[in-house]
Amino acid sequence: MSYCPPHRATAVFAHLAGTAALAAFAAFPALPANAAPAPAAPAKVVPAAPVPATTGAATESKTGEKKPAFTPLPARQIPVDLLLLNQIPKTGDADVRKYADALLGRANAEVPDPLLRSLIRLSLAQISDEPARAWEIRAAHMNRIGNYFHTAAVAALQAKRFADAYNALQLATRCAPSDPRPRLLLADMQQTLLGDLDAAATTLETGMHGINIADAVNRDYYERYFKILEAAGREAQSLRTLRSLLKNPDLPPPVAETLNFHAAIAAFALGEYTDAAAHVRRSGLRTIEARLLEARALYFGKDTRGAIELLYKAAPAFRGRARDSLLAQVARFYAGLGETPNALAIATQRLKETPASAPAALQRLLYLDAAGERAAFDAAVKDYLARHAATPAALIQLATLASERARPELAEQCRAAGRARQSATTGGSDPSERALLETLRIEALVRAGRYDDALDAARQTRFDTPEFAAASNGVSHAILAAAYFGKSDRQAARRHLEAFTVETRSDAETFAKVAELRRRLDNLTVAEALASPSGSVPAERNRLRGEIDALLRSPRKIAAQTYSNAADLLRRAGADTDAMRLLESGVAIHRRNAQLLADFVSARIACSETAAIGSRRPLTADIAQLLKMPRPNPKVWTEIARWLATPDAARQPDAAALRAAVAPLVRPDLKGLALM
């Protein structure tokens, strides 16, 4: 569990296409022929013992392949009544036969696919022969049609016809709502291809009533549903549902195992650490993920020594990547307690066991830097570059560390190593890597307070250009804004801050649309204005100008972590008020992100902006909201508790209740959170 996630501000974020309005029922091409923790208070720092050696195996984590985005489109429709047979009369067998015979004739003309047509005709023929069983036959028909569309979707996915697959899966879930297979596929497409977690959660949630919880084969359905809720930041909903499901005494062991583990994840996120550890134990899982989750629950539940001891005892059962994850977590636990020598000892052991691991080397570099061991740090950097400079990802990770630790000299070494490698590469240089290394170098200069050097470097590398802004999703503007704030040039700083949040478009398609709108604006007549929705010439002119401005300048899509990183740079440069306003904008967009709200609360306290102003709520309301969300970095609770003890806070009607709720969350024992 890291409360200081890797630097993501310089990543280029893919913007997935939105979902278009879909036709309820669509025709598809014929299928292929073969388709069928009380706080510890030790008197002194206890030296870290070597972690026991390996004797067993472990379960490895899986990583998903990134899929391309697509835009679902409506296709040619099939009449609903012909597909679903949902208008069977209830007035007698004769009317049922007449209904079936009429639809038989229509099926030949209105259903182009021969397989689908034969399925519909088969059901209609059965209804005509046995009208008394019409609704029973229709139920079987719906299952067959659902299976048909599920098979069509699988074939479309294999052919990478994503829009066809998406539409087919929507039909399959409508026709056979109790079949989990199409729902799982549809939810997967909504999450991985469309980036719509809420739609994916709804897809699986609406199928929950048809899932037999006592059937172990449905374990994957629950696994997927709760993972999506976790990814969407809906842990409270997840935990409520899980607690309800776990009351069933007839759960098969595999299902109970899955539900308990996800209950532990949700409880941990919500700060219910005792329950989280209990759910892990009830799950019976012995995987590395279970051991790490239980240890984190103990650690953040204030049983820090118990968490470390748990991992020491579990170490002999794991090897490979699982053991590497365990060692990394033990080191972070020691670092969080401020025991940097112990953290360094474990990180050194980890690197000794996996000498080719760039993450292990990076963790050791972090703790060498924190311990102030300059000679050892320089030697470790030299060794790292010798081993990993040929790997772009490893070089970027080192440059990221250099930026976060305000080490511009190290960031420059990374940039030089990247240039040397790219010069020697036959295929030429990678512009995105070059831009990223340059961005991290200039950011390191800003974090080190060397604002003149940062601006000089920016001028030398064309950092202040649309190309650089596009490559970094505008983050270059946030870095320049911080540099200008550091130089007390607020006008230039705010110009770059606006460029960070608002994207200026300059592509040919946009210019063509703008030219057409300007032509309409220049040639607007009184008659056209009166006939328009605006109703008058001034109003219509303003509307057209607004459309032009919206085309040329649109709000930039910024990730929550990027808002936090940019605000941190601004606060380091002394621009607390501007950082607070930037975070306020981010909170309005990313309403479920607890860390972003925590950063906003911290900035409000730093600016003494605690009262309600305009649409801004009083600070106490933000604190109350934060208490209901997944737990952010614990350091914010110390800031909040300090503010709640002030006379300003004491005048608030809910101050006493907030003090009582926040007090247990303050962690004075975690002195090294920045190193976790």
Side-chain angles (χ1 to χ4, degrees), residues 430-513:
D430 179 358
S432 62
E433 180 196 354
R434 188 170 66 251
L436 187 49
L437 289 172
E438 193 64 64
T439 299
L440 290 168
R441 178 178 77 104
I442 296 173
E443 184 176 339
L445 288 166
V446 172
R447 289 183 182 274
R450 293 168 52 180
Y451 304 117
D452 286 319
D453 291 340
L455 293 173
D456 286 342
R459 283 188 284 269
Q460 293 167 12
T461 58
R462 292 172 50 82
F463 197 61
D464 186 9
T465 62
E467 293 78 17
F468 236 112
S472 65
N473 194 34
V475 170
S476 59
H477 285 298
I479 296 171
L480 289 170
Y484 279 112
F485 273 122
K487 291 281 295 175
S488 298
D489 187 346
R490 296 187 175 274
Q491 183 177 359
R494 286 177 178 145
R495 186 176 68 249
H496 281 288
L497 198 54
E498 182 184 7
F500 169 58
T501 56
V502 178
E503 182 177 13
T504 302
R505 298 176 180 173
S506 58
D507 58 280
E509 183 181 354
T510 298
F511 281 164
K513 292 179 180 178

Side-chain angles (χ1 to χ4, degrees), residues 421-643:
R421 187 194 67 253
Q422 291 191 359
S423 298
T425 301
T426 306
S429 63
D430 179 358
S432 62
E433 180 196 354
R434 188 170 66 251
L436 187 49
L437 289 172
E438 193 64 64
T439 299
L440 290 168
R441 178 178 77 104
I442 296 173
E443 184 176 339
L445 288 166
V446 172
R447 289 183 182 274
R450 293 168 52 180
Y451 304 117
D452 286 319
D453 291 340
L455 293 173
D456 286 342
R459 283 188 284 269
Q460 293 167 12
T461 58
R462 292 172 50 82
F463 197 61
D464 186 9
T465 62
E467 293 78 17
F468 236 112
S472 65
N473 194 34
V475 170
S476 59
H477 285 298
I479 296 171
L480 289 170
Y484 279 112
F485 273 122
K487 291 281 295 175
S488 298
D489 187 346
R490 296 187 175 274
Q491 183 177 359
R494 286 177 178 145
R495 186 176 68 249
H496 281 288
L497 198 54
E498 182 184 7
F500 169 58
T501 56
V502 178
E503 182 177 13
T504 302
R505 298 176 180 173
S506 58
D507 58 280
E509 183 181 354
T510 298
F511 281 164
K513 292 179 180 178
V514 168
E516 172 60 21
L517 287 170
R518 282 177 175 159
R519 185 194 64 76
R520 289 170 55 190
L521 180 62
D522 293 340
N523 301 319
L524 182 66
T525 65
V526 174
E528 289 172 340
L530 292 176
S532 71
S534 304
S536 69
V537 173
E540 181 63 7
R541 286 185 180 277
N542 287 335
R543 188 188 70 80
L544 289 171
R545 290 190 187 105
E547 283 193 32
I548 292 170
D549 188 59
L551 278 170
L552 291 174
R553 293 163 48 81
S554 61
R556 199 183 295 275
K557 296 178 181 178
I558 303 173
Q561 181 62 42
T562 305
Y563 274 109
S564 290
N565 287 348
D568 180 58
L569 285 172
L570 296 178
R571 294 187 68 178
R572 285 171 178 262
D576 285 335
T577 301
D578 291 89
M580 180 194 70
R581 290 170 180 160
L582 179 64
L583 289 166
E584 186 171 22
S585 300
V587 167
I589 297 168
H590 302 281
R591 297 182 182 276
R592 293 178 185 163
N593 192 287
Q595 187 56 56
L596 194 58
L597 179 58
D599 292 339
F600 177 52
V601 167
S602 174
R604 291 189 68 178
I605 292 172
C607 297
S608 298
E609 295 280 356
T610 60
I613 301 176
S615 61
R616 186 185 300 163
R617 303 183 300 179
L619 180 59
T620 50
D622 283 335
I623 295 171
Q625 177 65 26
L626 190 60
L627 285 164
K628 300 174 184 177
M629 298 174 74
R631 292 290 179 251
N633 187 322
K635 71 177 183 179
V636 74
W637 303 119
T638 301
E639 299 176 33
I640 291 172
R642 192 179 298 124
W643 177 76

Side-chain angles (χ1 to χ4, degrees), residues 47 88 106 118 168 197 200 255 270 305 362 406 495 523-524 552 588 656:
I88 299 174
R106 287 178 54 196
S118 67
L197 288 168
V255 175
L270 295 169
R305 297 301 165 185
L362 280 169
R495 186 176 68 249
N523 301 319
L524 182 66
L552 291 174

Side-chain angles (χ1 to χ4, degrees), residues 114 224 661:
R224 193 80 182 99

Side-chain angles (χ1 to χ4, degrees), residues 16 34 75 78 107 124 126 143 265 459 475 584 590:
L16 301 179
N34 61 350
I78 297 173
L124 289 170
Q126 290 176 331
N143 288 330
I265 293 173
R459 283 188 284 269
V475 170
E584 186 171 22
H590 302 281

Side-chain angles (χ1 to χ4, degrees), residues 344 348 351 361 364-369 371-384 407:
L344 180 56
T348 301
L351 183 59
R364 182 169 180 268
L365 279 168
L366 173 63
Y367 299 146
L368 283 170
D369 189 40
E373 298 191 17
R374 297 272 74 82
F377 179 84
D378 293 341
V381 167
K382 184 177 179 180
D383 181 69
Y384 186 97
R407 298 290 301 272

Side-chain angles (χ1 to χ4, degrees), residues 333-374:
F333 280 169
Y334 278 126
L337 292 169
E339 300 178 16
T340 307
N342 285 341
L344 180 56
I346 298 300
T348 301
Q349 180 185 351
R350 180 189 176 198
L351 183 59
K352 184 178 179 181
E353 294 186 10
T354 55
S357 168
L362 280 169
Q363 189 180 48
R364 182 169 180 268
L365 279 168
L366 173 63
Y367 299 146
L368 283 170
D369 189 40
E373 298 191 17
R374 297 272 74 82

